[in-house]
Amino acid sequence: ALAIEGKQQRGSQQRRCLSELYYRSTMTKPPSIKVQKPAAETDLAIKKEEIKDIYSIPKLGPEKADDSPLGHNKNTIKPAKPEEQAAEYIKGIHSKGWNGEIAYSRFYSMPRESYKHLRNIDINRTLALVRGAGNNTHAGKKRMLSSNILLQMTNVYEAGIWAGIVPDRYTYQELIAINTDLMNFDRAYGLIEEMIQRGIKPTIRPYRKLLNGYSALVGEIDNARRLWQSMLAKIGRDEIAAEESSDQPATLDLATYTCIVAAECNIGNLTRVAEILEEMSSAGIAADIVLRNTILGGILKHGGLDAGIKEVKFMVDSGYVPNSYTYYLLIQSAVGEERIGVVKRLLIESVKRGITPSVKMIRKLPLLPAEILDIVTENGVEIDMIRVYNPLIGLAMRENSFNEALGLIARMRAQNIEPNTVTYSHLLDALSKANRLNEAKLIYKEAFGEGRKLVPDTHILGIMIDTCARADDIRGIFWYKMEMERRGLAPTEVIYNIILSALSRRKQMDLGAIMSTMNELMETNPPIRPSTRTLNVVYTAFQTKAEQSGKLTHTELDFLRKWYNKTSSDIDLYVPRDMFTYAFIISAFANAGLLEDALFVYSDMLKHAENDSSVRTHFTRSPKYMAKLILVCAKNQQYTKILDLWRDWRRLGIPGHEGSLRIVLFACDQVGQSTTARDIVFGLLVPPELRTVPGDPDSGIEDSAEKTHMHIIGSNGTLPIDLEDSPFIHDYQPAIVSGSVLALFVGIAIKHGMIEYIMPALNLLRQNKPKTSRPMLSLAGGDDEGDPHASKLGVNTRFSSDNAAKILALLQESKHESSKEIINEFLTFIEDNFPEAAPV
C-alpha cells in the first residue's frame, strides 16, 4: 500500500515511500492521483493457478458472458467519418509538430476511405516527415534511414495512388531521395523516368541527388558519367527545370559541379577534374573552398600527403583560405602515413591561421594533451582555449582518466581560464557512465554550489538525475529535480524517462510515484508528449506489478486504460507503438486477469502488424505472452477464444509451449471439438516422412482427385487426418507433447469415441523417443546422432509412472469394446519403451 504524505516509514531514509518523495519534490503542487487505496475497493484480478493436467482442471460450465468490458470496447462513441479522420490528420501533419513516426502511425490507422479526402500536399508532407527531412524525434535525434522507412514511404505513395491523388515533382523528389540514401540507385533512376512518363518536368534537384549518391562509390563511376551526360543533353533541350521554379530552365550550378568532381576524385581521375574546372570557369562559375577541399581529398587519397601539401600551397596562392576541414584532411593523411613531425607542423600552421582545432581533429591527433596545449598556447592567435580544453577533457573522461581530466582543469585555472558548463558536462557525463555518484556530486557542488558564478542548465541537471538513477539514489533524483524547479528549468521528456526508468527498476516498486510522474507530463506548460520509450517503461512497471501480485487496483487500472486510450486516439498525445509496447501492456492486463483489455490490445497489435510486421516481433519471440493470454482465457472459461489464439499461434510463428497446449486440448474438449484436439496432437508428433498424401505410391492408398488429406500410419492400418487444411495444426514439435499432454488426449479420445487413435499417438511418442535407457532423457550425448529431428525433441519425451497410471485408469473406466485390448497394448508399450514408468 502507498504511504500517506508525512508518514514515517520504518527503516532508513532511503526506503521512504517513493510517492512521498515525489510529493515532496513537487512541494506545493497537489498530486493528480490519490494514492491511498479506497476502503471499498476490491481486486479485479483472479488468483493465478497453474493448470498442470486433466485432473487439476475443474469441470467448468458453459462460457461466461462478458460482464465488464473496457470502456473503449463499448460502442458508446460513434467512429468518426472518413472525411473527419482525414481532416484531423491534415491538421496534425501541418500544425501539430508531428514527427515521422507519429505521422505514419496515424496515416495507416485511418480507414482507406479517408485517403480519398487527402490532397497532394498532404501526401508530400507525410513523405517528408517519414523520411525525416529536417525533423527530429522526441529524443532530439535524426531518424535513422532504413529499409523500413522506405517501405513506409512506399505504402504512403501507393495509398495516394489508390485514392486517385496524382503525384507531383515533390512526391517523386522525396522517393528519389530515400532510395538514393539507401543506395537503391536503379530504383531512384527509374522514378525519374516515371516522372517524365507522367508528364512531370523534373527539376535539377533529383538529378543532383542521384549524382551525389553515385559519387560516393567507386563502382558507380560509369553511372555517374552517364547521368552527367544525360543531364547536359536534357538541359540543352530544356527538359530539366530550375530548382526554384518549374517555369525556368535549369542551369548547372556549383553544387552540381561539385558532385561530378567528387565522383572523378574518388577514382583519382584528376585530369578530368581539371577539365571540369575549365568548363566551370568558361561558364562563369567560381570554385569555392568546399570544392577545393573535395579535390584535395582526392589528391591525398591517390597521390599522398606530399601531393596534398602542394595542392594546399596552390590553393593559398590562388586566393583560397584553408579552413578547419582542409587541415583535418591533411592531418588525417599524415597520421595514416605515421609522419608525426608533419602532424605537429600542420597543427602549428593551422593555429597560426587562427583556426581552432575541431573536436574531430583533436580526436585524430596522435599527441598527448600537454603537447597539444603547448602547441596551441605558443602559436595560437585569437584561439578560444576553452574550445581546446573541453574536447581534451572529454577524451580523458571517455578513457576513464579522471585524474588526467582534473589535471587539465588545474592547468586551465593556472592560465586564468575558467571551466564552463561544457567542461563540467564532460566530467559529469563520464562519471555518470562510470557509476561514480559521490565524485559527481562533489564536482557539481564545486561548480554550481552556493556563491558560484556558473549556473547549471537542463543538460547538467539531467546528467545528475541520470547519475542518481544509475545508483538507485531515489532521494537524489528528486533533489535534483527540485533543483531544476528552483532554477526555473523545465524537465524534458528524456529526464522524465530517466526518472520513470529508475522508479520501475526498484524491487519495492511504487506505481503511485510512477503514475504521478506521468500525470505531471500533462501538467507542464506546454505539456510534454511522452515518447514510445516513456510508455514502454511505464507498461513494464505495470507488467511487473501485475506479475508479482496477480492484480491491479482500480486506480492503477483506470490509469493504464486512460493512457493507452489517450496515446492511441488523442491527436495531441498520440504515441507510436513498437514491438515492446504491445507485449508489455498485453502482459500487464493478462497478469492481472483482465481478458477483455488484453485481447483488445492484442487485436490492435495484429492490425498494426498488417502495415509494420516488426511491432509483433517481441510478442512472437517467446511463447510467454501468448501463453498468458491463453491462461487468462481459461480462467474466464473463454474456450473459443483459446482456440482462436492457438490458430494465431501458428500463423505468428511463436515457439511451442507445453502448458498452453494442455489448456488448448482442454478447450477442445469443452467446446466439443475433439477432432481438433486429435489434429493438434498428431500435427505436433508426426514427422514429415511419416505423413502420406493420397496418391503417394508408398501409402498403399488409391489415387484420389481430392488430395487434401494426410494419413497417419497406425498399428491397424492408416487413419485419415486432415493435417493439411486445418488452421490449428502446428509444425512438427514433439518436444511440447509430454506424457501429461498425452494423458489429457487419451481422456478426450475416450470421452469422444476416438479410442482408435490412442495407440498411434503413443507409438509416435515412442518413435520420437531418443535412443537411451536413462530415466531422464537427454539429447546432450551421442545417443541421438543421426536423428534428423533430435534437436526438436527436448526432454519432454520421458514418460512418468504418474502419467502411465492416469492413462491406465482412464482406459479401465472406458466402456468401449476395444478398451481391454488397448489396455494390454498400452502395458506392453510401457514395458518395452518406458520400463521406468511402469505403474506399481
Side-chain angles (χ1 to χ4, degrees):
L2 304 175
I4 304 173
E5 181 176 1
K7 182 177 179 180
Q8 182 69 35
Q9 294 272 332
R10 289 181 299 178
S12 66
Q13 291 289 329
Q14 177 63 36
R15 294 195 177 187
R16 188 183 295 272
C17 176
L18 303 185
S19 298
E20 181 182 350
L21 289 173
Y22 175 81
Y23 297 144
R24 291 185 181 280
S25 75
T26 57
M27 293 179 291
T28 59
K29 184 182 297 182
S32 55
I33 286 183
K34 292 183 179 180
V35 297
Q36 289 180 271
K37 184 174 179 179
E41 181 171 326
T42 57
D43 298 328
L44 298 183
I46 299 173
K47 186 178 180 181
K48 292 180 68 174
E49 298 176 357
E50 183 182 1
I51 299 177
K52 296 180 179 180
D53 52 45
I54 191 171
Y55 290 98
S56 64
I57 303 178
K59 294 184 178 180
L60 303 175
E63 295 190 21
K64 294 192 300 186
D66 299 333
D67 53 359
S68 57
L70 274 178
H72 55 236
N73 265 343
K74 296 177 181 177
N75 295 321
T76 55
I77 301 176
K78 187 176 181 180
K81 297 178 181 179
E83 59 269 24
E84 294 173 349
Q85 295 190 47
E88 184 181 15
Y89 178 78
I90 291 170
K91 180 181 178 182
I93 59 173
H94 292 292
S95 62
K96 288 293 182 180
W98 287 357
N99 60 22
E101 293 174 306
I102 296 175
Y104 183 71
S105 297
R106 294 304 297 263
F107 182 86
Y108 72 70
S109 66
M110 292 190 298
R112 281 180 74 86
E113 290 299 318
S114 296
Y115 300 150
K116 296 180 180 179
H117 301 279
L118 300 180
R119 305 161 297 173
N120 186 283
I121 190 175
D122 305 323
I123 295 293
N124 294 343
R125 176 65 175 164
T126 303
L127 291 172
L129 288 173
V130 173
R131 188 168 72 90
N135 248 336
N136 291 336
T137 62
H138 284 305
K141 299 179 180 179
K142 293 284 186 180
R143 293 193 77 195
M144 294 296 293
L145 294 178
S146 65
S147 58
N148 189 47
I149 291 179
L150 174 59
L151 176 62
Q152 292 176 1
M153 294 180 67
T154 303
N155 290 341
V156 173
Y157 169 72
E158 291 177 350
I161 296 296
W162 174 87
I165 301 173
V166 179
D168 60 10
R169 62 191 178 100
Y170 297 105
T171 313
Y172 282 105
Q173 281 174 184
E174 292 295 337
L175 294 172
I176 291 167
I178 183 65
N179 278 281
T180 302
D181 290 337
L182 295 176
M183 297 185 183
N184 298 326
F185 298 131
D186 292 341
R187 176 56 180 159
Y189 187 81
L191 288 167
I192 295 177
E193 294 298 315
E194 187 178 318
M195 285 178 68
I196 298 171
Q197 292 174 4
R198 284 184 175 270
I200 302 172
K201 187 177 182 179
T203 66
I204 198 169
R205 180 177 176 178
Y207 284 99
R208 186 195 303 129
K209 180 68 177 179
L210 182 56
L211 183 63
N212 187 54
Y214 284 144
S215 69
L217 299 176
V218 174
E220 298 291 342
I221 183 63
D222 291 337
N223 287 329
R225 289 169 175 169
R226 278 194 291 268
L227 181 62
W228 177 255
Q229 294 301 322
S230 174
M231 291 170 61
L232 294 176
K234 290 181 179 180
I235 289 174
R237 296 193 299 267
D238 192 20
E239 295 178 1
I240 301 179
E243 187 170 359
E244 300 79 12
S245 173
S246 58
D247 298 329
Q248 299 294 326
T251 56
L252 294 174
D253 56 9
L254 178 59
T256 311
Y257 273 113
T258 301
C259 293
I260 188 62
V261 167
E264 297 293 350
C265 285
N266 206 18
I267 64 166
N269 190 358
L270 301 179
T271 303
R272 176 57 184 150
V273 170
E275 294 174 356
I276 295 173
L277 292 176
E278 289 293 331
E279 295 173 12
M280 291 175 59
S281 179
S282 301
I285 300 174
D288 62 359
I289 189 62
V290 175
L291 179 59
R292 298 306 313 192
N293 282 340
T294 301
I295 297 172
L296 174 61
I299 292 173
L300 289 169
K301 179 180 179 181
H302 297 281
L305 177 61
D306 293 332
I309 292 174
K310 291 180 181 178
E311 172 63 17
V312 173
K313 185 177 184 304
F314 173 77
M315 289 167 56
V316 173
D317 294 341
S318 301
Y320 295 96
V321 179
N323 60 13
S324 178
Y325 188 64
T326 308
Y327 282 100
Y328 170 75
L329 291 173
L330 290 170
I331 289 174
Q332 182 184 43
S333 179
V335 171
E337 295 183 13
E338 298 181 353
R339 297 168 66 174
I340 307 303
V342 178
V343 170
K344 293 181 179 180
R345 182 165 61 82
L346 290 170
L347 180 60
I348 292 171
E349 184 180 325
S350 68
V351 297
K352 282 184 176 180
R353 289 183 176 275
I355 299 173
T356 302
S358 65
V359 176
K360 194 175 181 181
M361 182 188 296
I362 290 175
R363 290 176 179 173
K364 182 66 66 173
L365 292 172
L367 305 174
L368 295 174
E371 293 180 274
I372 297 173
L373 290 171
D374 289 341
I375 291 173
V376 176
T377 303
E378 294 170 6
N379 301 279
V381 179
E382 298 180 356
I383 295 292
D384 187 359
M385 290 301 296
I386 194 69
R387 294 175 56 191
V388 181
Y389 272 104
N390 283 344
L392 290 173
I393 292 171
L395 286 174
M397 294 306 297
R398 180 178 294 184
E399 297 173 359
N400 205 21
S401 300
F402 187 48
N403 292 331
E404 181 181 330
L406 293 178
L408 289 170
I409 292 177
R411 176 167 176 163
M412 288 175 64
R413 288 176 171 160
Q415 295 179 333
N416 294 321
I417 302 171
E418 283 298 321
N420 59 13
T421 54
V422 176
T423 312
Y424 286 110
S425 70
H426 286 309
L427 285 171
L428 294 173
D429 186 57
L431 291 172
S432 174
K433 291 180 172 58
N435 291 322
R436 299 169 71 171
L437 176 61
N438 293 331
E439 290 99 324
K441 286 183 175 181
L442 289 174
I443 292 291
Y444 179 87
K445 185 177 181 180
E446 177 188 344
F448 307 107
E450 294 294 333
R452 304 295 182 182
K453 294 181 180 179
L454 284 180
V455 177
D457 56 14
T458 303
H459 180 63
I460 292 288
L461 287 165
I463 291 175
M464 292 306 300
I465 290 173
D466 184 43
T467 309
C468 293
R470 291 170 185 266
D472 196 27
D473 182 6
I474 301 299
R475 294 182 62 82
I477 288 175
F478 287 111
W479 189 92
Y480 286 106
K481 183 175 178 294
M482 291 173 63
E483 178 81 348
M484 294 187 72
E485 295 173 359
R486 285 195 295 266
R487 296 181 180 272
L489 300 173
T492 63
E493 175 250 323
V494 174
I495 291 176
Y496 277 112
N497 283 345
I498 294 170
I499 296 173
L500 290 167
S501 297
L503 294 174
S504 66
R505 286 196 302 265
R506 291 182 60 81
K507 292 182 179 179
Q508 297 178 347
M509 184 170 42
D510 185 351
L511 286 184
I514 293 175
M515 292 188 293
S516 299
T517 303
M518 280 294 289
N519 285 329
E520 188 183 333
L521 288 173
M522 298 298 96
E523 297 172 5
T524 58
N525 189 19
I528 297 175
R529 184 199 297 271
S531 66
T532 304
R533 181 183 176 186
T534 312
L535 292 186
N536 289 348
V537 169
V538 173
Y539 293 160
T540 301
F542 277 83
Q543 171 191 256
T544 304
K545 167 68 182 306
E547 187 172 16
Q548 291 174 350
S549 63
K551 62 184 178 180
L552 294 173
T553 66
H554 281 300
T555 302
E556 293 162 353
L557 286 173
D558 289 342
F559 173 89
L560 195 57
R561 289 165 173 162
K562 180 188 75 172
W563 273 97
Y564 184 80
N565 285 329
K566 280 184 172 294
T567 55
S568 299
S569 57
D570 193 309
I571 191 171
D572 294 317
L573 289 178
Y574 182 84
V575 178
R577 286 133 169 75
D578 64 8
M579 62 179 179
F580 299 105
T581 313
Y582 288 110
F584 292 160
I585 193 167
I586 289 172
S587 180
F589 282 131
N591 286 337
L594 300 169
L595 176 60
E596 287 300 314
D597 297 79
L599 290 179
F600 183 85
V601 180
Y602 173 74
S603 64
D604 273 359
M605 182 191 70
L606 294 184
K607 181 182 178 183
H608 189 166
E610 292 175 2
N611 294 281
D612 183 5
S613 60
S614 67
V615 299
R616 70 186 189 200
T617 304
H618 190 70
F619 183 89
T620 59
R621 187 175 292 157
S622 165
K624 66 179 181 180
Y625 297 108
M626 186 67 94
K628 290 176 181 179
L629 278 178
I630 286 181
L631 180 60
V632 75
C633 284
K635 291 177 178 179
N636 286 270
Q637 304 178 31
Q638 298 289 332
Y639 311 122
T640 303
K641 289 179 180 177
I642 290 175
L643 297 183
D644 290 341
L645 292 174
W646 184 257
R647 178 193 59 205
D648 291 346
W649 195 305
R650 179 192 184 189
R651 183 169 61 88
L652 297 174
I654 303 174
H657 185 254
E658 178 192 351
S660 297
L661 175 59
R662 293 197 295 266
I663 298 175
V664 169
L665 294 179
F666 178 73
C668 292
D669 171 69
Q670 292 293 299
V671 298
Q673 295 189 24
S674 57
T675 55
T676 300
R678 176 202 64 188
D679 293 350
I680 290 172
V681 170
F682 280 93
L684 293 168
L685 284 176
V686 178
E689 64 270 16
L690 294 183
R691 302 184 185 189
T692 58
V693 183
D696 188 334
D698 295 332
S699 66
I701 304 173
E702 296 182 2
D703 196 1
S704 170
E706 229 179 87
K707 296 186 178 180
T708 60
H709 284 24
M710 290 188 174
H711 291 67
I712 306 305
I713 303 176
S715 58
N716 297 323
T718 57
L719 300 171
I721 296 179
D722 187 358
L723 293 180
E724 192 173 78
D725 294 337
S726 174
F728 300 101
I729 300 303
H730 283 231
D731 296 331
Y732 177 62
Q733 297 182 59
I736 67 173
V737 183
S738 63
S740 60
V741 169
L742 277 180
L744 179 57
F745 172 69
V746 168
I748 294 173
I750 293 172
K751 178 179 176 180
H752 295 276
M754 298 190 304
I755 197 168
E756 69 274 16
Y757 288 97
I758 293 176
M759 289 311 300
L762 292 170
N763 284 322
L764 286 170
L765 182 73
R766 174 185 57 79
Q767 293 172 11
N768 290 316
K769 173 180 177 287
K771 298 178 179 61
T772 175
S773 59
R774 289 171 291 178
M776 175 65 77
L777 302 183
S778 172
L779 301 178
D783 294 331
D784 309 306
E785 191 174 346
D787 184 351
H789 307 297
S791 62
K792 298 184 178 182
L793 299 183
V795 298
N796 280 338
T797 50
R798 69 174 184 173
F799 212 86
S800 69
S801 59
D802 184 46
N803 290 323
K806 290 176 182 177
I807 292 178
L808 186 60
L810 288 168
L811 289 170
Q812 288 172 337
E813 292 175 7
S814 172
K815 297 179 180 180
H816 195 279
E817 57 184 10
S818 303
S819 59
K820 292 184 179 180
E821 180 182 350
I822 293 178
I823 287 174
N824 293 330
E825 291 184 33
F826 173 69
L827 292 174
T828 303
F829 167 84
I830 292 295
E831 184 179 355
D832 292 343
N833 300 282
F834 299 96
E836 68 280 359
V840 177

